[in-house]
Amino acid sequence: MEKGRQTMKEFLLYCAGPITGVSYGESTDWREYVASKLPPYIRAISPMRGKKYLKNEKAIKDSYEEHPLSSQKGITCRDRMDVIRCNMILINFLGASKVSISSVMEIAWADAWRKPIVVVMEKDNIHSHAMIREVSGFIVSNLDDAISIATAVLSPTL
């Protein structure tokens, strides 16, 4: 820190949600939207970063062993590290047609590390389960409300 000049602490918001079975665009577009709406002191972290080699995928598989970042060990290692190092986790379950096992694991890791959790889902979403509802600090029905909550929770000022 320079003398007389303070730097603002940066906060990390991990953006979780279904990837397996959806297209590359479906898995990245909403994360890019969230990142674009956050204040400069909050950085969105995406599990899709560094994975442009999947850009033509219409239905992403659960792993790609030929790509270290997308192998089962690579996905688990990096996603767990990201949850541990983040300040908060935002999970987007909107429109999910099947349970996202990875996202549920990320919620469990976040809870174990006492990270605030905001879930975005419809009332009848397939992920609406007692344990998910119990550990989630916030459950909302749209991304904009989730972004507002994350900003308020991670805000360094009044």
Side-chain angles (χ1 to χ4, degrees):
M1 181 165 36
E2 293 178 25
K3 186 176 179 180
R5 181 179 164 175
Q6 292 185 358
T7 57
M8 185 173 286
K9 177 178 165 67
E10 179 179 79
F11 295 92
L12 301 178
L13 177 67
Y14 183 70
C15 296
I19 295 173
T20 301
V22 302
S23 72
Y24 180 83
E26 289 171 312
S27 68
T28 58
D29 290 350
W30 73 266
R31 288 174 169 95
E32 290 170 7
Y33 175 79
V34 169
S36 75
K37 298 293 183 181
L38 294 171
Y41 58 87
I42 302 174
R43 187 163 44 111
I45 302 298
S46 171
M48 293 300 291
R49 70 187 186 281
K51 297 183 180 181
K52 288 205 192 263
Y53 50 82
L54 297 175
K55 70 181 176 200
N56 295 321
E57 293 294 317
K58 302 294 184 231
I60 296 174
K61 296 187 282 187
D62 75 337
S63 69
Y64 294 81
E65 295 307 307
E66 68 276 16
H67 296 287
L69 279 177
S70 294
S71 68
Q72 62 186 19
K73 288 198 178 291
I75 292 167
T76 304
C77 178
R78 187 171 76 165
D79 292 1
R80 183 175 39 222
M81 179 210 57
D82 283 346
V83 170
I84 291 169
R85 74 185 180 115
C86 78
N87 301 98
M88 185 173 192
I89 182 172
L90 183 157
I91 303 97
N92 179 12
F93 286 138
L94 289 175
S97 59
K98 65 179 188 169
V99 171
S100 173
I101 295 170
S102 297
S103 297
V104 171
M105 285 193 68
E106 290 164 336
I107 290 170
W109 292 331
D111 182 60
W113 285 92
R114 300 300 184 247
K115 307 294 180 172
I117 300 167
V118 59
V119 173
V120 185
M121 66 179 171
E122 309 86 352
K123 288 195 186 304
D124 62 346
N125 190 285
I126 195 166
H127 293 90
S128 186
H129 182 277
M131 291 178 74
I132 300 294
R133 294 188 307 269
E134 179 64 23
V135 301
S136 300
F138 311 92
I139 300 175
V140 296
S141 61
N142 65 74
L143 283 174
D144 290 323
D145 286 349
I147 293 164
S148 294
I149 289 168
T151 300
V153 170
L154 297 176
S155 177
T157 60
L158 295 176

